[in-house]
Amino acid sequence: DGGITQSPKYLFRKEGQNVTLSCEQNLNHDAMYWYRQDPGQGLRLIYYSQIVNDFQKGDIAEGYSVSREKKESFPLTVTSAQKNPTAFYLCASSRTPDEQFFGPGTRLTVL
Amino acid sequence: QKEVEQNSGPLSVPEGAIASLNCTYSDRGSQSFFWYRQYSGKSPELIMFIYSNGDKEDGRFTAQLNKASQYVSLLIRDSQPSDSATYLCAVKRAAGNKLTFGGGTRVLVKP
């Protein structure tokens, strides 16, 4: 089945820890994105990548890092510099700039 | 002023009625407009998109765009309890891949 997978579904982080969220797609999409969603709010763009080995900061990149070594994979690291990381993290991919398809999300909680 | 604004709701509609959702945006350079549906705890799914002024229909859904007044709306005809969800409006400029999301409108369809 073609689609976008994210893991883990739930993640708990202690203060000062870095954690990495996985995003994989087998849709052969060039572009991939990371969004953050806080309760009752819309999505905010963290990072996006239009092609392998290239990525750009979104609106709220501080405290996050990404890599794009393979077309299928776009992992997001939440570093200890991100002071309020508790949120729902959504990965998306697109073949065209307009139609973005989302993965199931990872819910991150800071203990 | 937020870039994309939506009434957070909840918008309560009886089953079989028309639900009308509105979204206003501030960037006059916006060229593409999207409606996503998000069930509680799930990721957003694209319902439809619209580029040109006027109406676009897809099944029970109609998107309406008025660029002069900078608003886009979504009508859901014959509302069903399964339509109960949060509806997110998103806009995109002509250049680039960045989607800007509103905070979403929660819709409750009562049997």
Side-chain angles (χ1 to χ4, degrees):
Chain A
D1 289 337
I4 305 171
T5 58
Q6 292 186 241
S7 62
K9 186 174 181 180
Y10 298 98
L11 185 58
F12 299 91
R13 192 193 94 167
K14 294 182 180 179
E15 295 278 354
Q17 272 187 336
N18 291 355
V19 291
T20 297
L21 285 59
S22 170
C23 178
E24 304 276 333
Q25 54 98 2
N26 61 4
L27 300 168
N28 200 33
H29 288 171
D30 287 316
M32 297 186 74
Y33 315 80
W34 275 105
Y35 292 90
R36 168 183 172 142
Q37 186 175 36
D38 293 282
Q41 298 189 31
L43 281 65
R44 291 183 290 168
L45 183 64
I46 304 173
Y47 269 98
Y48 65 100
S49 169
Q50 295 178 265
I51 197 169
V52 175
N53 292 323
D54 186 50
F55 48 84
Q56 290 79 40
K57 292 182 179 180
D59 297 321
I60 55 165
E62 185 175 350
Y64 300 97
S65 65
V66 294
S67 62
R68 187 83 188 277
E69 297 176 1
K70 298 186 300 182
K71 187 175 185 178
E72 301 80 15
S73 178
F74 191 39
L76 173 74
T77 297
V78 184
T79 74
S80 57
Q82 171 49 240
K83 297 306 178 188
N84 186 23
T86 295
F88 188 37
Y89 289 86
L90 290 155
C91 177
S93 71
S94 67
R95 181 177 56 83
T96 69
D98 289 341
E99 295 186 60
Q100 294 187 19
F101 297 94
F102 287 85
T106 292
R107 202 166 293 276
L108 173 63
T109 303
V110 174
L111 300 175
Chain B
Q1 181 189 9
K2 291 183 179 179
E3 291 186 61
V4 180
E5 296 211 50
Q6 298 180 253
N7 188 318
S8 61
L11 175 66
S12 184
V13 296
E15 184 175 357
I18 296 175
S20 178
L21 291 72
N22 293 317
C23 170
T24 59
Y25 60 94
S26 60
D27 184 357
R28 286 195 172 273
S30 300
Q31 292 292 322
S32 308
F33 306 87
F34 306 84
W35 284 100
Y36 284 82
R37 177 176 62 199
Q38 186 177 26
Y39 292 112
S40 180
K42 303 297 184 182
S43 59
E45 50 184 332
L46 182 64
I47 299 174
M48 61 192 307
F49 52 87
I50 186 168
Y51 304 128
S52 305
N53 276 333
D55 296 359
K56 180 181 178 182
E57 187 174 316
D58 185 357
R60 295 186 296 111
F61 298 98
T62 299
Q64 299 174 319
L65 174 62
N66 184 322
K67 288 187 178 179
S69 300
Q70 295 178 247
Y71 80 80
V72 57
S73 61
L74 180 71
L75 301 178
I76 308 174
R77 291 184 301 280
D78 188 23
S79 296
Q80 302 297 310
S82 59
D83 294 324
S84 296
T86 295
Y87 290 80
L88 299 168
C89 171
V91 305
K92 193 180 82 68
R93 297 180 63 91
N97 291 20
K98 179 186 171 184
L99 288 181
T100 302
F101 283 83
T105 297
R106 186 175 167 219
V107 173
L108 294 175
V109 181
K110 296 186 175 181

